[in-house]
Amino acid sequence: MKILKIFLSIGVVLFMVFVAFLWFQRKPVSVLMYHFVDTKEAARENTLIVSKETFQRQIDWLQSWGYRIYSLNEFAAWVGKNKGKLKRGVVLTFDDGNRDFPERVFPILNREQVPVSVFLIWQNLSKEEMGSMSIDQAKELIK
């Protein structure tokens, strides 16, 4: 009975992954929004957190399956012109400009040459509140 439950659980997970994959195929471009990238332990405790290892695997998976990672500007220009069809891909965004971004996320994106948009909250940035990166960190990333 226990083995049956395990196989059933694995089957459900595989089915969900398959359905997600099919849904992902329907749209030429999807926007993936992240908040935090942290340790595996932190990711287990908070659904807004993705571990650094999981984030790297997601980038690797997208690239290995032939998804193009578009900048937000590329995507907006395409939507504005409404011409042609984009190759399937994604746009990566990070909300809130959290301080984990320069340390944990940017090195991966830089190494993989992946564009990203980071949405900063000025009040948090200027006061380094709510886990926000500093203004100096934001300026350095812009360079």
Side-chain angles (χ1 to χ4, degrees):
M1 190 67 159
K2 188 173 184 177
I3 292 176
L4 180 61
K5 285 183 180 180
I6 291 171
F7 280 117
L8 184 60
S9 297
I10 292 171
V12 169
V13 169
L14 290 174
F15 177 74
M16 290 171 48
V17 168
F18 178 70
V19 169
F21 180 76
L22 290 178
W23 179 84
F24 206 49
Q25 295 291 326
R26 288 184 355 184
K27 298 180 180 184
V29 179
S30 296
V31 176
L32 303 180
M33 185 271 300
Y34 294 90
H35 274 280
F36 305 98
V37 174
D38 206 330
T39 64
K40 290 178 186 179
E41 294 75 28
R44 280 190 216 107
E45 296 175 13
N46 186 331
T47 58
L48 292 177
I49 299 173
V50 175
S51 74
K52 184 177 176 181
E53 296 81 8
T54 298
F55 181 71
Q56 178 68 64
R57 280 195 310 272
Q58 290 172 353
I59 297 299
D60 293 343
W61 185 91
L62 289 166
Q63 292 176 333
S64 69
W65 280 88
Y67 285 86
R68 169 132 186 245
I69 301 176
Y70 293 98
S71 72
L72 190 56
N73 287 342
E74 286 177 297
F75 182 64
W78 174 79
V79 169
K81 292 177 185 173
N82 202 16
K83 293 183 178 180
K85 188 172 182 177
L86 285 177
K87 179 183 172 191
R88 71 179 178 173
V90 296
V91 175
L92 300 180
T93 67
F94 277 83
D95 279 359
D96 307 330
N98 296 303
R99 83 172 57 108
D100 64 346
F101 186 85
E103 301 164 6
R104 295 190 182 102
V105 180
F106 185 74
I108 294 170
L109 298 174
N110 193 38
R111 180 175 57 250
E112 303 291 336
Q113 293 297 293
V114 172
V116 67
S117 292
V118 180
F119 297 100
L120 305 172
I121 299 173
W122 175 250
Q123 287 176 320
N124 294 347
L125 188 70
S126 64
K127 298 176 185 174
E128 294 182 43
E129 293 180 342
M130 304 291 290
S132 179
M133 67 177 85
S134 68
I135 291 175
D136 289 338
Q137 285 174 312
K139 286 178 181 178
E140 190 62 33
L141 288 172
I142 291 169
K143 289 180 188 177

